[in-house]
């Protein structure tokens, strides 16, 4: 089944404890992206990648890192999480090397930072 | 960067009536405008999109209109049904996809 998967789906952690949220897609998509969703703010892009080893900042990149060592995986890293990073996170992928077409979203990861 | 404003933030309609959601954008270079639907607890899913060389697009009960001169676009849902209840997001793309804040649509039976 063609899909985008994220792990974990739910995570409660404490301030400063490094964490990684994994994202994987099996559709051979070129473009991958991370968003955070907060009430009243919609979906805001954190980072995106148009190809392996190519990543770029979105609108809210502070406090986050990403890597794209393989085409299928695009992990999101929080080196030192803070409470303002409590949010619902979505990974998404798209077939071409841009975002001018349908984004396929993962199921989401709900992160709480205490 | 692109700034997308979406109105209204909440919308309650009687089943069978129409619903209209409006969005404005700031960057005249934007040329791709998708709409996503997010049901409660689910992921966003594309329901319709329009590109800047088209003024209107329709898919069954859903239509989107685009006015590039005024920099606004709208989603129209006709004959609303309970399963249309969800959060709807508009977005605009210059070189990055920027989303509006969302509209919570409730269809009353």
């Amino acid at each position: 089944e063609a899909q985008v998967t994220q792990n974990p789906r739910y995570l409660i952690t404490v301030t400063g404890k490094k964490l990684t949220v994994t994202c994987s897609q099996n559709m051979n998509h070129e473009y991958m992206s991370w968003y955070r969703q907060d009430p009243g703010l919609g979906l805001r892009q954190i980072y995106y990648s148009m190809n392996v080893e190519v990543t770029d900042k979105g609108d809210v990149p502070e406090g986050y890192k990403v890597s794209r060592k393989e085409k299928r995986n695009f992990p999101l890293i929080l080196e030192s999480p803070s409470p303002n990073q409590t949010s619902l996170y979505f990974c998404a992928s798209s077939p071409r090397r841009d975002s001018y077409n349908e984004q396929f979203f993962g199921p989401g990861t709900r992160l709480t930072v205490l | 960067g692109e700034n997308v404003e979406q109105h209204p933030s909440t919308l309650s309609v009687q089943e069978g009536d129409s619903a209209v959601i409006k969005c404005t954008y700031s960057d005249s270079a934007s040329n791709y405008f998708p709409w996503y639907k997010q049901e409660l607890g689910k992921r966003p899913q594309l329901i319709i999109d329009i590109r800047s060389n088209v003024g209107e697009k329709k898919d069954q009960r859903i239509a989107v209109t685009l006015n590039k001169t005024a920099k606004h676009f709208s989603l129209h849902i006709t004959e609303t049904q309970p399963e249309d209840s969800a959060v709807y997001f508009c977005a605009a793309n210059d070189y990055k996809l920027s989303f509006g804040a969302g509209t919570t649509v409730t269809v009353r039976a």
Side-chain angles (χ1 to χ4, degrees):
Chain A
E1 179 189 355
Q3 59 182 344
V4 179
T5 57
Q6 293 178 230
N7 282 291
R9 296 287 314 280
Y10 303 90
L11 179 60
I12 300 174
T13 189
V14 295
T15 299
K17 186 176 181 181
K18 181 180 179 180
L19 68 92
T20 299
V21 184
T22 64
C23 173
S24 183
Q25 50 92 8
N26 62 0
M27 296 172 280
N28 201 36
H29 283 177
E30 303 279 351
Y31 183 96
M32 297 186 76
S33 181
W34 277 102
Y35 297 89
R36 62 177 288 174
Q37 183 177 7
D38 302 288
L41 297 177
L43 293 152
R44 294 181 292 166
Q45 190 176 55
I46 303 170
Y47 269 94
Y48 65 96
S49 169
M50 292 190 287
N51 204 349
V52 174
E53 303 290 1
V54 179
T55 62
D56 208 346
K57 296 178 181 179
D59 295 318
V60 288
E62 294 78 21
Y64 304 95
K65 287 174 57 178
V66 292
S67 68
R68 187 94 181 271
K69 293 185 171 60
E70 308 164 277
K71 196 173 187 179
R72 63 183 293 130
N73 296 323
F74 191 45
L76 179 70
I77 303 155
L78 285 72
E79 294 270 4
S80 183
S82 63
N84 64 12
Q85 292 178 298
T86 292
S87 188
L88 178 59
Y89 291 86
F90 286 100
C91 179
S93 71
S94 194
R96 286 173 19 191
R97 287 185 186 180
D98 57 46
S99 54
Y100 291 91
N101 46 84
E102 181 175 3
Q103 306 265 305
F104 293 85
F105 284 84
T109 295
R110 187 165 294 280
L111 173 65
T112 301
V113 183
L114 302 174
Chain B
E2 179 62 271
N3 181 42
V4 179
E5 294 191 356
Q6 184 172 347
H7 299 280
S9 57
T10 61
L11 181 60
S12 180
V13 297
Q14 190 70 35
E15 182 177 357
D17 287 350
S18 295
V20 180
I21 303 170
K22 298 182 179 181
C23 290
T24 61
Y25 61 98
S26 59
D27 191 343
S28 57
S30 289
N31 57 16
Y32 175 63
F33 307 92
W35 286 86
Y36 285 82
K37 175 184 180 182
Q38 185 180 28
E39 297 176 353
L40 189 62
K42 301 285 184 65
R43 69 194 78 188
Q45 291 188 295
L46 181 74
I47 54 171
I48 195 167
D49 58 11
I50 191 168
R51 299 182 191 271
S52 59
N53 58 344
V54 175
E56 184 174 356
K57 185 176 179 181
K58 195 171 182 180
D59 183 3
Q60 300 183 329
R61 296 185 297 108
I62 292 173
V64 58
T65 59
L66 171 65
N67 183 327
K68 285 221 73 178
T69 303
K71 288 190 279 188
H72 66 71
F73 57 112
S74 300
L75 178 73
H76 304 253
I77 308 173
T78 58
E79 301 173 17
T80 52
Q81 300 170 5
E83 55 264 37
D84 295 327
S85 294
V87 179
Y88 292 82
F89 294 99
C90 63
N93 196 330
D94 43 9
Y95 66 98
K96 290 187 301 183
L97 197 59
S98 297
F99 286 84
T103 297
T104 301
V105 174
T106 303
V107 179
R108 307 187 306 272

